[in-house]
């Protein structure tokens, strides 16, 4: 299920930083956000990304969840699952993914979700959080799913989240 005609793949990834965004413990991560996000935007298959203020070194960390500024979200749309998977696991992004335990707390519940959106649709953070809640409550299905639901994706199996920290 690499893609559906007339649809793109949305993904939400949430995490809670181990320290405030201006703390030296997360400085390396924060300093890389513009570079990694910029790379993502130039990748084949990239469609859209939820943006923050545009202030250098903040990425979209201003799009936090609730009243907790350490709880941050990444929301993007891709043409299909393979292009997202390629960016996540075949670029410098993978190095940061593999080091996520240095910057993010371990979350006790699912924190990553994907779903199909009509081409041209830009999901809101609230919409994405509803999809995440649906996945938590009902498991993989047409409304919300994780990597294992997408049978054509393979790279994630080698680098799957082990519960170490945010995905």
């Amino acid at each position: 299920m690499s893609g559906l005609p007339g649809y793109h793949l949305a993904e939400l990834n949430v995490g809670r930083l181990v320290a405030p965004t201006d703390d030296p413990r997360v400085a390396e991560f924060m300093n890389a956000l513009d570079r990694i996000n910029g790379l993502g935007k130039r990748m084949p298959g990239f469609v859209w990304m939820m943006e923050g203020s545009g202030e250098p070194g903040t990425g979209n960390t201003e799009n936090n969840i609730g009243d907790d500024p350490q709880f941050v979200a990444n929301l993007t749309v891709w043409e299909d699952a393979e292009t997202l998977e390629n960016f996540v696991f075949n670029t410098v992004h993978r190095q940061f993914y593999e080091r996520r335990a240095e910057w993010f707390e371990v979350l006790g519940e699912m924190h990553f979700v994907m779903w199909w959106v009509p081409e041209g649709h830009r999901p809101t953070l609230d919409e994405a959080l509803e999809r995440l809640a649906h996945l938590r409550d009902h498991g993989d299905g047409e409304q919300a799913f994780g990597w294992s639901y997408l049978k054509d994706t393979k790279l994630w199996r080698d680098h799957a989240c082990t519960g170490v920290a945010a995905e």
Side-chain angles (χ1 to χ4, degrees):
M1 181 184 279
S2 63
L4 298 174
Y7 286 83
H8 285 151
L9 183 70
E11 70 80 26
L12 171 71
N13 190 11
V14 299
R16 188 167 192 283
L17 294 167
V18 297
T21 58
D22 60 352
D23 188 288
R25 292 175 286 173
V26 296
E28 187 177 6
F29 174 79
M30 294 301 299
N31 292 337
L33 278 176
D34 291 341
R35 181 169 55 111
I36 300 301
N37 288 342
L39 172 64
K41 291 176 187 177
R42 293 187 306 276
M43 291 294 294
F46 172 83
V47 175
W48 173 83
M49 174 184 285
M50 176 178 69
E51 300 279 359
S53 68
E55 288 294 315
T58 62
N60 7 328
T61 57
E62 294 134 335
N63 292 304
N64 56 46
I65 298 170
D67 294 327
D68 186 346
Q70 286 174 233
F71 224 128
V72 296
N74 176 267
L75 176 58
T76 59
V77 176
W78 295 80
E79 288 179 3
D80 54 38
E82 286 81 7
T83 56
L84 170 60
E85 187 182 41
N86 183 52
F87 167 66
V88 171
F89 299 113
N90 281 337
T91 69
V92 69
H93 177 279
R94 185 176 92 204
Q95 295 171 15
F96 287 85
Y97 174 83
E98 290 173 347
R99 294 179 57 199
R100 63 197 178 274
E102 295 176 38
W103 305 300
F104 289 93
E105 294 179 358
V106 174
L107 298 178
E109 56 190 354
M110 190 64 169
H111 52 272
F112 175 77
V113 64
M114 295 180 281
W115 71 100
W116 298 108
V117 297
E119 288 182 10
H121 179 67
R122 304 297 178 253
T124 65
L125 182 55
D126 287 341
E127 175 187 347
L129 291 170
E130 288 174 12
R131 296 289 181 147
L132 180 58
H134 184 87
L135 178 61
R136 289 174 178 164
D137 292 343
H138 303 286
D140 286 334
E142 290 182 19
Q143 294 296 311
F145 46 86
W147 287 112
S148 64
Y149 185 77
L150 299 171
K151 303 305 179 205
D152 292 341
T153 58
K154 309 225 179 319
L155 297 172
W156 70 272
R157 295 176 201 282
D158 295 333
H159 305 284
C161 190
T162 58
V164 175
E167 192 162 318

Short mmCIF file of all heavy atoms in Angstrom, two decimals, residues 91-122:
data_model
loop_
_atom_site.label_atom_id
_atom_site.label_comp_id
_atom_site.label_asym_id
_atom_site.label_seq_id
_atom_site.Cartn_x
_atom_site.Cartn_y
_atom_site.Cartn_z
N THR A 91 18.63 9.09 4.94
CA THR A 91 19.31 10.39 4.93
C THR A 91 19.94 10.63 6.30
O THR A 91 19.81 9.81 7.21
CB THR A 91 18.31 11.54 4.63
OG1 THR A 91 17.43 11.69 5.75
CG2 THR A 91 17.53 11.29 3.35
N VAL A 92 20.54 11.78 6.47
CA VAL A 92 21.13 12.15 7.76
C VAL A 92 20.07 12.15 8.87
O VAL A 92 20.42 12.01 10.05
CB VAL A 92 21.86 13.51 7.66
CG1 VAL A 92 20.88 14.64 7.47
CG2 VAL A 92 22.76 13.74 8.87
N HIS A 93 18.81 12.24 8.52
CA HIS A 93 17.73 12.16 9.52
C HIS A 93 17.88 10.91 10.38
O HIS A 93 17.62 10.92 11.58
CB HIS A 93 16.37 12.18 8.82
CG HIS A 93 15.21 12.04 9.75
ND1 HIS A 93 14.80 10.82 10.23
CD2 HIS A 93 14.39 12.97 10.29
CE1 HIS A 93 13.76 11.01 11.05
NE2 HIS A 93 13.49 12.30 11.10
N ARG A 94 18.29 9.80 9.75
CA ARG A 94 18.43 8.54 10.49
C ARG A 94 19.39 8.66 11.66
O ARG A 94 19.16 8.09 12.72
CB ARG A 94 18.87 7.42 9.55
CG ARG A 94 18.89 6.07 10.28
CD ARG A 94 19.24 4.94 9.37
NE ARG A 94 20.67 4.74 9.43
CZ ARG A 94 21.38 4.17 8.48
NH1 ARG A 94 20.82 3.75 7.38
NH2 ARG A 94 22.67 4.03 8.62
N GLN A 95 20.46 9.43 11.50
CA GLN A 95 21.43 9.59 12.59
C GLN A 95 20.76 10.23 13.81
O GLN A 95 21.04 9.86 14.95
CB GLN A 95 22.61 10.42 12.13
CG GLN A 95 23.44 9.76 11.06
CD GLN A 95 24.48 10.70 10.48
OE1 GLN A 95 24.77 11.75 11.05
NE2 GLN A 95 25.04 10.32 9.35
N PHE A 96 19.89 11.19 13.56
CA PHE A 96 19.19 11.84 14.66
C PHE A 96 18.12 10.91 15.23
O PHE A 96 17.90 10.86 16.44
CB PHE A 96 18.62 13.18 14.21
CG PHE A 96 19.70 14.20 14.03
CD1 PHE A 96 20.41 14.29 12.84
CD2 PHE A 96 20.07 15.03 15.07
CE1 PHE A 96 21.44 15.19 12.68
CE2 PHE A 96 21.10 15.93 14.94
CZ PHE A 96 21.80 16.02 13.74
N TYR A 97 17.45 10.18 14.37
CA TYR A 97 16.46 9.19 14.81
C TYR A 97 17.12 8.17 15.75
O TYR A 97 16.58 7.84 16.79
CB TYR A 97 15.85 8.50 13.58
CG TYR A 97 14.93 7.36 13.91
CD1 TYR A 97 13.60 7.60 14.23
CD2 TYR A 97 15.39 6.05 13.89
CE1 TYR A 97 12.75 6.55 14.54
CE2 TYR A 97 14.54 5.00 14.18
CZ TYR A 97 13.23 5.25 14.50
OH TYR A 97 12.39 4.22 14.81
N GLU A 98 18.29 7.70 15.37
CA GLU A 98 18.98 6.69 16.17
C GLU A 98 19.49 7.25 17.50
O GLU A 98 19.72 6.50 18.44
CB GLU A 98 20.11 6.07 15.36
CG GLU A 98 19.59 5.20 14.23
CD GLU A 98 20.66 4.69 13.29
OE1 GLU A 98 21.80 5.20 13.33
OE2 GLU A 98 20.34 3.79 12.49
N ARG A 99 19.63 8.56 17.59
CA ARG A 99 20.11 9.19 18.83
C ARG A 99 18.97 9.82 19.64
O ARG A 99 19.22 10.55 20.59
CB ARG A 99 21.15 10.25 18.48
CG ARG A 99 22.42 9.67 17.87
CD ARG A 99 23.41 10.74 17.53
NE ARG A 99 23.75 11.53 18.70
CZ ARG A 99 24.29 12.75 18.63
NH1 ARG A 99 24.56 13.31 17.46
NH2 ARG A 99 24.56 13.42 19.72
N ARG A 100 17.71 9.52 19.30
CA ARG A 100 16.56 10.17 19.92
C ARG A 100 16.53 10.05 21.44
O ARG A 100 16.03 10.93 22.11
CB ARG A 100 15.26 9.65 19.29
CG ARG A 100 15.02 8.16 19.52
CD ARG A 100 13.98 7.63 18.55
NE ARG A 100 13.75 6.20 18.70
CZ ARG A 100 14.48 5.26 18.12
NH1 ARG A 100 15.48 5.59 17.33
NH2 ARG A 100 14.21 3.99 18.32
N ALA A 101 17.09 8.98 21.98
CA ALA A 101 17.07 8.80 23.44
C ALA A 101 17.90 9.87 24.15
O ALA A 101 17.70 10.11 25.34
CB ALA A 101 17.59 7.41 23.80
N GLU A 102 18.81 10.52 23.44
CA GLU A 102 19.61 11.59 24.05
C GLU A 102 18.78 12.85 24.30
O GLU A 102 19.11 13.65 25.17
CB GLU A 102 20.78 11.96 23.13
CG GLU A 102 21.78 10.85 22.96
CD GLU A 102 22.87 11.24 21.98
OE1 GLU A 102 23.30 12.42 21.97
OE2 GLU A 102 23.31 10.36 21.20
N TRP A 103 17.72 13.04 23.50
CA TRP A 103 16.98 14.30 23.54
C TRP A 103 15.52 14.16 23.94
O TRP A 103 14.88 15.15 24.30
CB TRP A 103 17.04 14.98 22.17
CG TRP A 103 18.44 15.18 21.69
CD1 TRP A 103 19.42 15.91 22.31
CD2 TRP A 103 19.03 14.64 20.51
NE1 TRP A 103 20.58 15.86 21.57
CE2 TRP A 103 20.36 15.09 20.46
CE3 TRP A 103 18.54 13.83 19.48
CZ2 TRP A 103 21.22 14.75 19.43
CZ3 TRP A 103 19.41 13.50 18.44
CH2 TRP A 103 20.73 13.95 18.43
N PHE A 104 14.97 12.94 23.87
CA PHE A 104 13.54 12.75 24.14
C PHE A 104 13.31 11.74 25.25
O PHE A 104 14.03 10.75 25.36
CB PHE A 104 12.82 12.26 22.87
CG PHE A 104 12.70 13.32 21.83
CD1 PHE A 104 13.65 13.45 20.84
CD2 PHE A 104 11.65 14.22 21.85
CE1 PHE A 104 13.56 14.44 19.87
CE2 PHE A 104 11.54 15.21 20.90
CZ PHE A 104 12.49 15.32 19.91
N GLU A 105 12.29 12.01 26.03
CA GLU A 105 11.88 11.08 27.08
C GLU A 105 11.20 9.86 26.47
O GLU A 105 10.63 9.95 25.38
CB GLU A 105 10.87 11.77 28.02
CG GLU A 105 11.47 12.92 28.80
CD GLU A 105 10.44 13.60 29.69
OE1 GLU A 105 9.25 13.20 29.69
OE2 GLU A 105 10.83 14.55 30.38
N VAL A 106 11.22 8.77 27.18
CA VAL A 106 10.46 7.59 26.79
C VAL A 106 9.00 7.89 27.08
O VAL A 106 8.65 8.31 28.18
CB VAL A 106 10.93 6.34 27.55
CG1 VAL A 106 10.03 5.16 27.24
CG2 VAL A 106 12.38 6.03 27.24
N LEU A 107 8.15 7.69 26.08
CA LEU A 107 6.72 7.90 26.27
C LEU A 107 6.06 6.54 26.49
O LEU A 107 6.41 5.57 25.83
CB LEU A 107 6.12 8.60 25.05
CG LEU A 107 6.69 10.00 24.77
CD1 LEU A 107 6.05 10.58 23.52
CD2 LEU A 107 6.45 10.92 25.95
N GLY A 108 5.11 6.49 27.38
CA GLY A 108 4.47 5.24 27.74
C GLY A 108 3.39 4.79 26.78
O GLY A 108 2.76 3.77 27.00
N GLU A 109 3.15 5.54 25.68
CA GLU A 109 2.12 5.15 24.73
C GLU A 109 2.55 5.54 23.32
O GLU A 109 3.52 6.26 23.14
CB GLU A 109 0.79 5.82 25.08
CG GLU A 109 0.85 7.33 25.17
CD GLU A 109 -0.42 7.93 25.75
OE1 GLU A 109 -1.38 7.19 25.98
OE2 GLU A 109 -0.44 9.13 25.95
N MET A 110 1.81 5.05 22.36
CA MET A 110 2.12 5.32 20.96
C MET A 110 2.21 6.82 20.72
O MET A 110 1.40 7.59 21.21
CB MET A 110 1.02 4.70 20.08
CG MET A 110 1.34 4.72 18.64
SD MET A 110 2.78 3.69 18.32
CE MET A 110 2.75 3.61 16.56
N HIS A 111 3.21 7.25 19.94
CA HIS A 111 3.44 8.66 19.71
C HIS A 111 3.67 8.99 18.24
O HIS A 111 4.07 10.09 17.89
CB HIS A 111 4.64 9.14 20.54
CG HIS A 111 5.84 8.27 20.33
ND1 HIS A 111 6.07 7.15 21.08
CD2 HIS A 111 6.83 8.34 19.43
CE1 HIS A 111 7.18 6.56 20.65
NE2 HIS A 111 7.66 7.27 19.65
N PHE A 112 3.43 8.02 17.37
CA PHE A 112 3.61 8.20 15.93
C PHE A 112 2.40 7.62 15.22
O PHE A 112 1.94 6.52 15.54
CB PHE A 112 4.88 7.46 15.48
CG PHE A 112 5.10 7.46 14.00
CD1 PHE A 112 5.60 8.60 13.36
CD2 PHE A 112 4.81 6.36 13.23
CE1 PHE A 112 5.81 8.61 11.99
CE2 PHE A 112 5.02 6.36 11.87
CZ PHE A 112 5.52 7.49 11.24
N VAL A 113 1.88 8.38 14.24
CA VAL A 113 0.71 7.91 13.48
C VAL A 113 0.79 8.41 12.05
O VAL A 113 1.34 9.48 11.79
CB VAL A 113 -0.61 8.38 14.15
CG1 VAL A 113 -0.74 9.90 14.13
CG2 VAL A 113 -1.83 7.72 13.52
N MET A 114 0.24 7.62 11.15
CA MET A 114 0.11 8.01 9.75
C MET A 114 -1.34 7.78 9.33
O MET A 114 -2.04 6.94 9.91
CB MET A 114 1.03 7.17 8.86
CG MET A 114 2.50 7.40 9.13
SD MET A 114 3.59 6.40 8.06
CE MET A 114 3.52 4.82 8.88
N TRP A 115 -1.77 8.51 8.29
CA TRP A 115 -3.09 8.31 7.71
C TRP A 115 -3.11 8.97 6.34
O TRP A 115 -2.28 9.82 6.03
CB TRP A 115 -4.20 8.86 8.62
CG TRP A 115 -4.26 10.35 8.73
CD1 TRP A 115 -5.11 11.20 8.08
CD2 TRP A 115 -3.41 11.20 9.53
NE1 TRP A 115 -4.86 12.50 8.44
CE2 TRP A 115 -3.82 12.53 9.33
CE3 TRP A 115 -2.35 10.96 10.42
CZ2 TRP A 115 -3.20 13.61 9.96
CZ3 TRP A 115 -1.73 12.03 11.03
CH2 TRP A 115 -2.16 13.34 10.80
N TRP A 116 -4.07 8.55 5.51
CA TRP A 116 -4.20 9.09 4.16
C TRP A 116 -5.06 10.33 4.19
O TRP A 116 -6.09 10.37 4.87
CB TRP A 116 -4.80 8.05 3.22
CG TRP A 116 -3.93 6.84 3.09
CD1 TRP A 116 -4.17 5.60 3.62
CD2 TRP A 116 -2.66 6.75 2.44
NE1 TRP A 116 -3.13 4.75 3.33
CE2 TRP A 116 -2.19 5.43 2.60
CE3 TRP A 116 -1.88 7.65 1.73
CZ2 TRP A 116 -0.98 4.99 2.07
CZ3 TRP A 116 -0.67 7.22 1.20
CH2 TRP A 116 -0.23 5.90 1.37
N VAL A 117 -4.64 11.36 3.45
CA VAL A 117 -5.40 12.60 3.33
C VAL A 117 -5.61 12.89 1.84
O VAL A 117 -4.75 12.55 1.02
CB VAL A 117 -4.70 13.81 3.99
CG1 VAL A 117 -4.57 13.59 5.50
CG2 VAL A 117 -3.33 14.08 3.37
N PRO A 118 -6.74 13.50 1.47
CA PRO A 118 -6.93 13.88 0.06
C PRO A 118 -5.82 14.83 -0.38
O PRO A 118 -5.37 15.67 0.41
CB PRO A 118 -8.28 14.59 0.06
CG PRO A 118 -8.97 14.15 1.31
CD PRO A 118 -7.88 13.88 2.32
N GLU A 119 -5.37 14.69 -1.61
CA GLU A 119 -4.35 15.59 -2.14
C GLU A 119 -4.80 17.03 -1.92
O GLU A 119 -5.96 17.37 -2.13
CB GLU A 119 -4.12 15.32 -3.62
CG GLU A 119 -3.39 14.04 -3.87
CD GLU A 119 -3.12 13.79 -5.35
OE1 GLU A 119 -3.33 14.70 -6.18
OE2 GLU A 119 -2.72 12.66 -5.67
N GLY A 120 -3.89 17.87 -1.46
CA GLY A 120 -4.18 19.27 -1.20
C GLY A 120 -4.61 19.56 0.23
O GLY A 120 -4.60 20.71 0.65
N HIS A 121 -4.95 18.53 0.99
CA HIS A 121 -5.38 18.74 2.38
C HIS A 121 -4.15 18.95 3.27
O HIS A 121 -3.17 18.23 3.15
CB HIS A 121 -6.18 17.55 2.88
CG HIS A 121 -6.62 17.68 4.31
ND1 HIS A 121 -7.53 18.61 4.72
CD2 HIS A 121 -6.25 17.01 5.42
CE1 HIS A 121 -7.72 18.51 6.03
NE2 HIS A 121 -6.94 17.53 6.47
N ARG A 122 -4.22 19.93 4.15
CA ARG A 122 -3.17 20.20 5.13
C ARG A 122 -3.76 19.96 6.51
O ARG A 122 -4.53 20.78 7.02
CB ARG A 122 -2.66 21.64 5.01
CG ARG A 122 -2.17 22.02 3.63
CD ARG A 122 -0.95 21.19 3.24
NE ARG A 122 -0.49 21.51 1.89
CZ ARG A 122 -0.66 20.72 0.83
NH1 ARG A 122 -1.31 19.59 0.95
NH2 ARG A 122 -0.19 21.06 -0.34
#
